[in-house]
């Protein structure tokens, strides 16, 4: 039943969040460096050689700390790193050719948070984590700079390796990050910014919390992600552009409030969304978008097994707060998900070329989605085919690329018990205990329709 699958996902996400939130509640974790002694240490400037931190050290990230090409920063489980709130925009950068190896555990996550004391922290207290890889993008030009001013931005043009490896983030929590680095000109740091990051990089069990701007933002590249949690974002929970083609599975985004940012750090977004997907922004150089074409390769990410919940009737939340906005020539796969409680539109396809990708080119796939308690579930104006709950056009469902199918274990002898977790078979149909392809008939589905007024979205056979 669809409701049963959703419950499993929410419980699993809740346990993950609880483990991450409970493991590092004490900021007094000790200190050190390459050869540390317990206490405190400060990271500043460039890191040009391999460096290993220590879990018995509390590190302060002060200013723009940049790990240079050829260097690896290793962070062990249980380490706490504090963003310096006295130096605006303090942030950790992993530049092209550099690497970060940050592997925590469920009981000892690695925590990036504000240097302010618990109870006094706010979105925008520090900048966040920025990774620049060598993957491809669809924006043209010899110099394409990360967001920020000339003194801090980095060139991420010219990447050619979508399998590039910038390291590992596993069991990592990023809190109270995000900073307007441009003094109101629309250039912000996010909790986790990924520029042209390749799929050799590992993103697993990452939680962002109370960021001023986006939680996860991708500019091109193909980095994959699994078990991602976004809680109380100041802007978008998942944002991509410039040809991003990563595959993401098992995700939760929850927005229940709008947290006031640190004074002077920036302002809250006027259009916060669950998903915001762009092909390439025609407002910047090197991007193409028109009625007959858009920048290639198209953004074509996969998002599977996700729950994205908005704030419902929260007072003051912008009317343009939509569950998913797909625009500017972005394709993608959105499979087995819930988009609910957004005051604007559940799924909004914004422009003619994105609609062409959806209708004619079979490059935008929407399958097995529940839309519930949104202001409108679909587009209500304009020429989009995804309007007023129209049935989706296109070919039969196909399994999204790169999404794991769950297989039964093999035993040496005797009966073969089925230990499969819920999932999809090779035809996209329900496996044992998983989602039904059209989601009708189960008691949980009937209850969901009765109490939430849900619209079930699927592609036609």
């Amino acid at each position: 039943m669809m409701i049963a699958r959703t419950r499993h996902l929410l419980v699993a996400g809740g346990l993950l969040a609880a483990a991450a939130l409970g493991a590092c509640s004490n900021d007094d974790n000790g200190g050190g460096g390459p050869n540390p002694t317990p206490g405190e240490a400060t990271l500043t400037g460039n890191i040009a050689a391999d460096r290993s931190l220590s879990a018995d050290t509390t590190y302060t990230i002060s200013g723009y700390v940049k790990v240079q090409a050829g260097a690896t920063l290793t962070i062990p489980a249980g380490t706490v790193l504090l963003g310096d709130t006295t130096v605006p925009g303090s942030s950790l950068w992993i530049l092209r050719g550099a690497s970060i190896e940050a592997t925590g555990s469920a009981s000892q996550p690695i925590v990036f948070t504000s240097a302010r004391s618990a109870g006094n922290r706010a979105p925008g207290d520090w900048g966040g984590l920025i990774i620049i890889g060598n993957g491809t993008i669809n924006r043209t030009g010899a110099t394409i700079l990360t967001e920020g001013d000339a003194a801090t931005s980095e060139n991420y043009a010219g990447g050619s390796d979508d399998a590039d490896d910038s390291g590992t983030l596993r069991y990592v929590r990023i809190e109270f990050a995000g900073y307007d680095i441009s003094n109101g000109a629309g250039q912000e740091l996010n909790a986790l910014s990924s520029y042209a990051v390749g799929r050799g990089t590992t993103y697993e069990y990452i939680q962002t919390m109370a960021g001023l701007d986006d939680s996860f933002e991708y500019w091109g590249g193909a980095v994959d992600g699994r078990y991602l949690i976004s809680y109380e974002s100041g802007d978008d929970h998942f944002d991509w552009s410039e040809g991003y083609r990563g595959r993401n599975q098992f995700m939760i985004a929850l927005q229940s409030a709008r947290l006031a940012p640190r004074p002077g750090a920036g302002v809250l977004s006027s259009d916060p969304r669950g998903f915001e997907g762009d092909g390439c922004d025609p407002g910047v150089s090197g991007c193409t978008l028109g009625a007959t074409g858009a920048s290639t390769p198209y953004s074509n990410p996969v998002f599977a097994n996700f729950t994205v919940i908005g704030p419902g009737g929260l007072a003051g939340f912008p009317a343009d707060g939509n569950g998913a906005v797909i625009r500017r020539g972005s394709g993608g796969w959105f499979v087995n998900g819930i988009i609910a409680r957004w005051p604007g539109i559940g799924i909004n396809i914004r422009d003619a070329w994105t609609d062409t990708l959806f209708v004619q080119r079979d490059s935008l796939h929407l399958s097995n989605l529940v839309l519930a308690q949104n202001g409108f579930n679909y587009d209500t104006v304009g020429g989009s085919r995804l309007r007023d709950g129209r049935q989706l056009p296109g070919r039969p469902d196909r399994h999204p690329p790169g999404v794991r199918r769950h297989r039964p274990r093999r035993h040496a002898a005797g009966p073969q018990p089925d230990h499969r977790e819920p999932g999809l078979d090779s035809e996209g149909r329900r496996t044992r205990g998983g989602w039904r392809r059209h989601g009708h008939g189960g008691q949980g589905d009937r209850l969901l329709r009765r109490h939430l007024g849900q619209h079930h979205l699927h592609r036609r056979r």
Side-chain angles (χ1 to χ4, degrees), residues 411-430:
H411 297 263
Q416 300 292 308
D418 190 347
H419 294 295
R420 285 177 293 178
E421 298 177 31
L424 298 176
D425 66 15
S426 60
E427 299 300 323
R429 297 185 178 90
R430 177 181 182 250

mmCIF file with all atom_site columns, all heavy atoms in Angstrom, residues 411-430:
data_model
loop_
_atom_site.group_PDB
_atom_site.id
_atom_site.type_symbol
_atom_site.label_atom_id
_atom_site.label_alt_id
_atom_site.label_comp_id
_atom_site.label_asym_id
_atom_site.label_entity_id
_atom_site.label_seq_id
_atom_site.pdbx_PDB_ins_code
_atom_site.Cartn_x
_atom_site.Cartn_y
_atom_site.Cartn_z
_atom_site.occupancy
_atom_site.B_iso_or_equiv
_atom_site.pdbx_formal_charge
_atom_site.auth_seq_id
_atom_site.auth_comp_id
_atom_site.auth_asym_id
_atom_site.auth_atom_id
_atom_site.pdbx_PDB_model_num
ATOM 1   N N   . HIS A 1 411 ? 20.260 -18.251 -0.682  1.00 0.00 ? 411 HIS A N   1
ATOM 2   C CA  . HIS A 1 411 ? 20.728 -19.138 0.372   1.00 0.00 ? 411 HIS A CA  1
ATOM 3   C C   . HIS A 1 411 ? 21.310 -20.401 -0.243  1.00 0.00 ? 411 HIS A C   1
ATOM 4   O O   . HIS A 1 411 ? 20.916 -20.824 -1.342  1.00 0.00 ? 411 HIS A O   1
ATOM 5   C CB  . HIS A 1 411 ? 19.579 -19.490 1.315   1.00 0.00 ? 411 HIS A CB  1
ATOM 6   C CG  . HIS A 1 411 ? 19.033 -18.292 2.020   1.00 0.00 ? 411 HIS A CG  1
ATOM 7   N ND1 . HIS A 1 411 ? 19.406 -17.939 3.291   1.00 0.00 ? 411 HIS A ND1 1
ATOM 8   C CD2 . HIS A 1 411 ? 18.143 -17.350 1.596   1.00 0.00 ? 411 HIS A CD2 1
ATOM 9   C CE1 . HIS A 1 411 ? 18.767 -16.842 3.650   1.00 0.00 ? 411 HIS A CE1 1
ATOM 10  N NE2 . HIS A 1 411 ? 17.991 -16.462 2.639   1.00 0.00 ? 411 HIS A NE2 1
ATOM 11  N N   . ALA A 1 412 ? 22.244 -21.027 0.480   1.00 0.00 ? 412 ALA A N   1
ATOM 12  C CA  . ALA A 1 412 ? 22.941 -22.184 -0.066  1.00 0.00 ? 412 ALA A CA  1
ATOM 13  C C   . ALA A 1 412 ? 21.993 -23.342 -0.323  1.00 0.00 ? 412 ALA A C   1
ATOM 14  O O   . ALA A 1 412 ? 22.128 -24.064 -1.292  1.00 0.00 ? 412 ALA A O   1
ATOM 15  C CB  . ALA A 1 412 ? 24.065 -22.607 0.877   1.00 0.00 ? 412 ALA A CB  1
ATOM 16  N N   . ALA A 1 413 ? 21.050 -23.556 0.555   1.00 0.00 ? 413 ALA A N   1
ATOM 17  C CA  . ALA A 1 413 ? 20.144 -24.689 0.389   1.00 0.00 ? 413 ALA A CA  1
ATOM 18  C C   . ALA A 1 413 ? 18.845 -24.389 1.113   1.00 0.00 ? 413 ALA A C   1
ATOM 19  O O   . ALA A 1 413 ? 18.762 -23.480 1.927   1.00 0.00 ? 413 ALA A O   1
ATOM 20  C CB  . ALA A 1 413 ? 20.780 -25.961 0.945   1.00 0.00 ? 413 ALA A CB  1
ATOM 21  N N   . GLY A 1 414 ? 17.823 -25.229 0.828   1.00 0.00 ? 414 GLY A N   1
ATOM 22  C CA  . GLY A 1 414 ? 16.551 -25.098 1.514   1.00 0.00 ? 414 GLY A CA  1
ATOM 23  C C   . GLY A 1 414 ? 15.657 -24.053 0.880   1.00 0.00 ? 414 GLY A C   1
ATOM 24  O O   . GLY A 1 414 ? 15.944 -23.515 -0.195  1.00 0.00 ? 414 GLY A O   1
ATOM 25  N N   . PRO A 1 415 ? 14.533 -23.747 1.533   1.00 0.00 ? 415 PRO A N   1
ATOM 26  C CA  . PRO A 1 415 ? 13.588 -22.770 0.988   1.00 0.00 ? 415 PRO A CA  1
ATOM 27  C C   . PRO A 1 415 ? 14.250 -21.409 0.817   1.00 0.00 ? 415 PRO A C   1
ATOM 28  O O   . PRO A 1 415 ? 15.212 -21.080 1.507   1.00 0.00 ? 415 PRO A O   1
ATOM 29  C CB  . PRO A 1 415 ? 12.472 -22.730 2.051   1.00 0.00 ? 415 PRO A CB  1
ATOM 30  C CG  . PRO A 1 415 ? 12.643 -23.983 2.832   1.00 0.00 ? 415 PRO A CG  1
ATOM 31  C CD  . PRO A 1 415 ? 14.089 -24.319 2.808   1.00 0.00 ? 415 PRO A CD  1
ATOM 32  N N   . GLN A 1 416 ? 13.702 -20.622 -0.086  1.00 0.00 ? 416 GLN A N   1
ATOM 33  C CA  . GLN A 1 416 ? 14.256 -19.306 -0.385  1.00 0.00 ? 416 GLN A CA  1
ATOM 34  C C   . GLN A 1 416 ? 13.331 -18.234 0.177   1.00 0.00 ? 416 GLN A C   1
ATOM 35  O O   . GLN A 1 416 ? 12.439 -17.741 -0.513  1.00 0.00 ? 416 GLN A O   1
ATOM 36  C CB  . GLN A 1 416 ? 14.412 -19.136 -1.907  1.00 0.00 ? 416 GLN A CB  1
ATOM 37  C CG  . GLN A 1 416 ? 15.326 -20.159 -2.549  1.00 0.00 ? 416 GLN A CG  1
ATOM 38  C CD  . GLN A 1 416 ? 16.764 -19.953 -2.113  1.00 0.00 ? 416 GLN A CD  1
ATOM 39  O OE1 . GLN A 1 416 ? 17.316 -18.873 -2.200  1.00 0.00 ? 416 GLN A OE1 1
ATOM 40  N NE2 . GLN A 1 416 ? 17.390 -21.019 -1.627  1.00 0.00 ? 416 GLN A NE2 1
ATOM 41  N N   . PRO A 1 417 ? 13.491 -17.844 1.443   1.00 0.00 ? 417 PRO A N   1
ATOM 42  C CA  . PRO A 1 417 ? 12.622 -16.797 2.008   1.00 0.00 ? 417 PRO A CA  1
ATOM 43  C C   . PRO A 1 417 ? 12.848 -15.476 1.297   1.00 0.00 ? 417 PRO A C   1
ATOM 44  O O   . PRO A 1 417 ? 13.959 -15.192 0.851   1.00 0.00 ? 417 PRO A O   1
ATOM 45  C CB  . PRO A 1 417 ? 13.056 -16.721 3.470   1.00 0.00 ? 417 PRO A CB  1
ATOM 46  C CG  . PRO A 1 417 ? 14.457 -17.230 3.476   1.00 0.00 ? 417 PRO A CG  1
ATOM 47  C CD  . PRO A 1 417 ? 14.509 -18.279 2.419   1.00 0.00 ? 417 PRO A CD  1
ATOM 48  N N   . ASP A 1 418 ? 11.785 -14.698 1.186   1.00 0.00 ? 418 ASP A N   1
ATOM 49  C CA  . ASP A 1 418 ? 11.860 -13.421 0.482   1.00 0.00 ? 418 ASP A CA  1
ATOM 50  C C   . ASP A 1 418 ? 12.136 -12.316 1.487   1.00 0.00 ? 418 ASP A C   1
ATOM 51  O O   . ASP A 1 418 ? 11.275 -11.957 2.270   1.00 0.00 ? 418 ASP A O   1
ATOM 52  C CB  . ASP A 1 418 ? 10.535 -13.159 -0.249  1.00 0.00 ? 418 ASP A CB  1
ATOM 53  C CG  . ASP A 1 418 ? 10.633 -11.984 -1.198  1.00 0.00 ? 418 ASP A CG  1
ATOM 54  O OD1 . ASP A 1 418 ? 11.634 -11.236 -1.111  1.00 0.00 ? 418 ASP A OD1 1
ATOM 55  O OD2 . ASP A 1 418 ? 9.728  -11.833 -2.025  1.00 0.00 ? 418 ASP A OD2 1
ATOM 56  N N   . HIS A 1 419 ? 13.379 -11.779 1.476   1.00 0.00 ? 419 HIS A N   1
ATOM 57  C CA  . HIS A 1 419 ? 13.747 -10.700 2.391   1.00 0.00 ? 419 HIS A CA  1
ATOM 58  C C   . HIS A 1 419 ? 13.776 -9.354  1.682   1.00 0.00 ? 419 HIS A C   1
ATOM 59  O O   . HIS A 1 419 ? 14.393 -8.425  2.165   1.00 0.00 ? 419 HIS A O   1
ATOM 60  C CB  . HIS A 1 419 ? 15.144 -10.980 2.972   1.00 0.00 ? 419 HIS A CB  1
ATOM 61  C CG  . HIS A 1 419 ? 15.177 -12.183 3.856   1.00 0.00 ? 419 HIS A CG  1
ATOM 62  N ND1 . HIS A 1 419 ? 14.491 -12.258 5.042   1.00 0.00 ? 419 HIS A ND1 1
ATOM 63  C CD2 . HIS A 1 419 ? 15.824 -13.371 3.716   1.00 0.00 ? 419 HIS A CD2 1
ATOM 64  C CE1 . HIS A 1 419 ? 14.717 -13.437 5.615   1.00 0.00 ? 419 HIS A CE1 1
ATOM 65  N NE2 . HIS A 1 419 ? 15.517 -14.124 4.828   1.00 0.00 ? 419 HIS A NE2 1
ATOM 66  N N   . ARG A 1 420 ? 13.118 -9.272  0.541   1.00 0.00 ? 420 ARG A N   1
ATOM 67  C CA  . ARG A 1 420 ? 13.188 -8.014  -0.192  1.00 0.00 ? 420 ARG A CA  1
ATOM 68  C C   . ARG A 1 420 ? 12.545 -6.877  0.592   1.00 0.00 ? 420 ARG A C   1
ATOM 69  O O   . ARG A 1 420 ? 11.498 -7.043  1.198   1.00 0.00 ? 420 ARG A O   1
ATOM 70  C CB  . ARG A 1 420 ? 12.464 -8.137  -1.533  1.00 0.00 ? 420 ARG A CB  1
ATOM 71  C CG  . ARG A 1 420 ? 13.237 -8.943  -2.570  1.00 0.00 ? 420 ARG A CG  1
ATOM 72  C CD  . ARG A 1 420 ? 12.434 -9.092  -3.837  1.00 0.00 ? 420 ARG A CD  1
ATOM 73  N NE  . ARG A 1 420 ? 11.260 -9.923  -3.639  1.00 0.00 ? 420 ARG A NE  1
ATOM 74  C CZ  . ARG A 1 420 ? 10.364 -10.177 -4.570  1.00 0.00 ? 420 ARG A CZ  1
ATOM 75  N NH1 . ARG A 1 420 ? 10.483 -9.653  -5.766  1.00 0.00 ? 420 ARG A NH1 1
ATOM 76  N NH2 . ARG A 1 420 ? 9.340  -10.966 -4.321  1.00 0.00 ? 420 ARG A NH2 1
ATOM 77  N N   . GLU A 1 421 ? 13.170 -5.697  0.518   1.00 0.00 ? 421 GLU A N   1
ATOM 78  C CA  . GLU A 1 421 ? 12.555 -4.485  1.032   1.00 0.00 ? 421 GLU A CA  1
ATOM 79  C C   . GLU A 1 421 ? 11.595 -3.963  -0.020  1.00 0.00 ? 421 GLU A C   1
ATOM 80  O O   . GLU A 1 421 ? 11.655 -4.349  -1.187  1.00 0.00 ? 421 GLU A O   1
ATOM 81  C CB  . GLU A 1 421 ? 13.631 -3.443  1.333   1.00 0.00 ? 421 GLU A CB  1
ATOM 82  C CG  . GLU A 1 421 ? 14.619 -3.887  2.391   1.00 0.00 ? 421 GLU A CG  1
ATOM 83  C CD  . GLU A 1 421 ? 15.695 -2.857  2.582   1.00 0.00 ? 421 GLU A CD  1
ATOM 84  O OE1 . GLU A 1 421 ? 15.400 -1.665  2.402   1.00 0.00 ? 421 GLU A OE1 1
ATOM 85  O OE2 . GLU A 1 421 ? 16.821 -3.240  2.874   1.00 0.00 ? 421 GLU A OE2 1
ATOM 86  N N   . PRO A 1 422 ? 10.691 -3.040  0.354   1.00 0.00 ? 422 PRO A N   1
ATOM 87  C CA  . PRO A 1 422 ? 9.773  -2.499  -0.640  1.00 0.00 ? 422 PRO A CA  1
ATOM 88  C C   . PRO A 1 422 ? 10.535 -1.846  -1.775  1.00 0.00 ? 422 PRO A C   1
ATOM 89  O O   . PRO A 1 422 ? 11.543 -1.200  -1.583  1.00 0.00 ? 422 PRO A O   1
ATOM 90  C CB  . PRO A 1 422 ? 8.963  -1.463  0.153   1.00 0.00 ? 422 PRO A CB  1
ATOM 91  C CG  . PRO A 1 422 ? 9.056  -1.938  1.559   1.00 0.00 ? 422 PRO A CG  1
ATOM 92  C CD  . PRO A 1 422 ? 10.411 -2.544  1.688   1.00 0.00 ? 422 PRO A CD  1
ATOM 93  N N   . GLY A 1 423 ? 10.051 -2.013  -3.019  1.00 0.00 ? 423 GLY A N   1
ATOM 94  C CA  . GLY A 1 423 ? 10.723 -1.418  -4.163  1.00 0.00 ? 423 GLY A CA  1
ATOM 95  C C   . GLY A 1 423 ? 9.954  -1.679  -5.432  1.00 0.00 ? 423 GLY A C   1
ATOM 96  O O   . GLY A 1 423 ? 8.768  -1.987  -5.407  1.00 0.00 ? 423 GLY A O   1
ATOM 97  N N   . LEU A 1 424 ? 10.639 -1.579  -6.585  1.00 0.00 ? 424 LEU A N   1
ATOM 98  C CA  . LEU A 1 424 ? 10.026 -1.769  -7.881  1.00 0.00 ? 424 LEU A CA  1
ATOM 99  C C   . LEU A 1 424 ? 10.707 -2.916  -8.610  1.00 0.00 ? 424 LEU A C   1
ATOM 100 O O   . LEU A 1 424 ? 11.902 -3.140  -8.459  1.00 0.00 ? 424 LEU A O   1
ATOM 101 C CB  . LEU A 1 424 ? 10.169 -0.506  -8.726  1.00 0.00 ? 424 LEU A CB  1
ATOM 102 C CG  . LEU A 1 424 ? 9.495  0.764   -8.183  1.00 0.00 ? 424 LEU A CG  1
ATOM 103 C CD1 . LEU A 1 424 ? 9.820  1.926   -9.093  1.00 0.00 ? 424 LEU A CD1 1
ATOM 104 C CD2 . LEU A 1 424 ? 8.004  0.565   -8.072  1.00 0.00 ? 424 LEU A CD2 1
ATOM 105 N N   . ASP A 1 425 ? 9.962  -3.644  -9.419  1.00 0.00 ? 425 ASP A N   1
ATOM 106 C CA  . ASP A 1 425 ? 10.583 -4.658  -10.249 1.00 0.00 ? 425 ASP A CA  1
ATOM 107 C C   . ASP A 1 425 ? 11.083 -4.016  -11.544 1.00 0.00 ? 425 ASP A C   1
ATOM 108 O O   . ASP A 1 425 ? 11.043 -2.804  -11.718 1.00 0.00 ? 425 ASP A O   1
ATOM 109 C CB  . ASP A 1 425 ? 9.616  -5.808  -10.518 1.00 0.00 ? 425 ASP A CB  1
ATOM 110 C CG  . ASP A 1 425 ? 8.409  -5.390  -11.355 1.00 0.00 ? 425 ASP A CG  1
ATOM 111 O OD1 . ASP A 1 425 ? 8.458  -4.300  -11.961 1.00 0.00 ? 425 ASP A OD1 1
ATOM 112 O OD2 . ASP A 1 425 ? 7.432  -6.157  -11.400 1.00 0.00 ? 425 ASP A OD2 1
ATOM 113 N N   . SER A 1 426 ? 11.559 -4.844  -12.467 1.00 0.00 ? 426 SER A N   1
ATOM 114 C CA  . SER A 1 426 ? 12.177 -4.313  -13.678 1.00 0.00 ? 426 SER A CA  1
ATOM 115 C C   . SER A 1 426 ? 11.192 -3.599  -14.581 1.00 0.00 ? 426 SER A C   1
ATOM 116 O O   . SER A 1 426 ? 11.593 -2.845  -15.468 1.00 0.00 ? 426 SER A O   1
ATOM 117 C CB  . SER A 1 426 ? 12.851 -5.449  -14.456 1.00 0.00 ? 426 SER A CB  1
ATOM 118 O OG  . SER A 1 426 ? 11.895 -6.431  -14.832 1.00 0.00 ? 426 SER A OG  1
ATOM 119 N N   . GLU A 1 427 ? 9.909  -3.813  -14.383 1.00 0.00 ? 427 GLU A N   1
ATOM 120 C CA  . GLU A 1 427 ? 8.893  -3.127  -15.171 1.00 0.00 ? 427 GLU A CA  1
ATOM 121 C C   . GLU A 1 427 ? 8.290  -1.943  -14.435 1.00 0.00 ? 427 GLU A C   1
ATOM 122 O O   . GLU A 1 427 ? 7.326  -1.354  -14.897 1.00 0.00 ? 427 GLU A O   1
ATOM 123 C CB  . GLU A 1 427 ? 7.777  -4.117  -15.548 1.00 0.00 ? 427 GLU A CB  1
ATOM 124 C CG  . GLU A 1 427 ? 8.246  -5.291  -16.379 1.00 0.00 ? 427 GLU A CG  1
ATOM 125 C CD  . GLU A 1 427 ? 8.855  -4.822  -17.689 1.00 0.00 ? 427 GLU A CD  1
ATOM 126 O OE1 . GLU A 1 427 ? 8.336  -3.835  -18.255 1.00 0.00 ? 427 GLU A OE1 1
ATOM 127 O OE2 . GLU A 1 427 ? 9.846  -5.416  -18.138 1.00 0.00 ? 427 GLU A OE2 1
ATOM 128 N N   . GLY A 1 428 ? 8.838  -1.601  -13.285 1.00 0.00 ? 428 GLY A N   1
ATOM 129 C CA  . GLY A 1 428 ? 8.300  -0.485  -12.529 1.00 0.00 ? 428 GLY A CA  1
ATOM 130 C C   . GLY A 1 428 ? 7.085  -0.832  -11.719 1.00 0.00 ? 428 GLY A C   1
ATOM 131 O O   . GLY A 1 428 ? 6.411  0.038   -11.184 1.00 0.00 ? 428 GLY A O   1
ATOM 132 N N   . ARG A 1 429 ? 6.760  -2.148  -11.589 1.00 0.00 ? 429 ARG A N   1
ATOM 133 C CA  . ARG A 1 429 ? 5.581  -2.540  -10.834 1.00 0.00 ? 429 ARG A CA  1
ATOM 134 C C   . ARG A 1 429 ? 5.954  -2.834  -9.388  1.00 0.00 ? 429 ARG A C   1
ATOM 135 O O   . ARG A 1 429 ? 7.117  -3.021  -9.062  1.00 0.00 ? 429 ARG A O   1
ATOM 136 C CB  . ARG A 1 429 ? 4.934  -3.767  -11.471 1.00 0.00 ? 429 ARG A CB  1
ATOM 137 C CG  . ARG A 1 429 ? 4.413  -3.510  -12.886 1.00 0.00 ? 429 ARG A CG  1
ATOM 138 C CD  . ARG A 1 429 ? 3.681  -4.728  -13.422 1.00 0.00 ? 429 ARG A CD  1
ATOM 139 N NE  . ARG A 1 429 ? 3.148  -4.458  -14.738 1.00 0.00 ? 429 ARG A NE  1
ATOM 140 C CZ  . ARG A 1 429 ? 3.795  -4.667  -15.863 1.00 0.00 ? 429 ARG A CZ  1
ATOM 141 N NH1 . ARG A 1 429 ? 5.035  -5.157  -15.828 1.00 0.00 ? 429 ARG A NH1 1
ATOM 142 N NH2 . ARG A 1 429 ? 3.254  -4.384  -17.025 1.00 0.00 ? 429 ARG A NH2 1
ATOM 143 N N   . ARG A 1 430 ? 4.940  -2.947  -8.551  1.00 0.00 ? 430 ARG A N   1
ATOM 144 C CA  . ARG A 1 430 ? 5.136  -3.178  -7.135  1.00 0.00 ? 430 ARG A CA  1
ATOM 145 C C   . ARG A 1 430 ? 5.810  -4.525  -6.879  1.00 0.00 ? 430 ARG A C   1
ATOM 146 O O   . ARG A 1 430 ? 5.431  -5.541  -7.427  1.00 0.00 ? 430 ARG A O   1
ATOM 147 C CB  . ARG A 1 430 ? 3.774  -3.144  -6.447  1.00 0.00 ? 430 ARG A CB  1
ATOM 148 C CG  . ARG A 1 430 ? 3.770  -3.450  -4.962  1.00 0.00 ? 430 ARG A CG  1
ATOM 149 C CD  . ARG A 1 430 ? 2.328  -3.399  -4.484  1.00 0.00 ? 430 ARG A CD  1
ATOM 150 N NE  . ARG A 1 430 ? 2.230  -3.633  -3.061  1.00 0.00 ? 430 ARG A NE  1
ATOM 151 C CZ  . ARG A 1 430 ? 1.725  -4.724  -2.527  1.00 0.00 ? 430 ARG A CZ  1
ATOM 152 N NH1 . ARG A 1 430 ? 1.315  -5.695  -3.302  1.00 0.00 ? 430 ARG A NH1 1
ATOM 153 N NH2 . ARG A 1 430 ? 1.640  -4.850  -1.220  1.00 0.00 ? 430 ARG A NH2 1
#
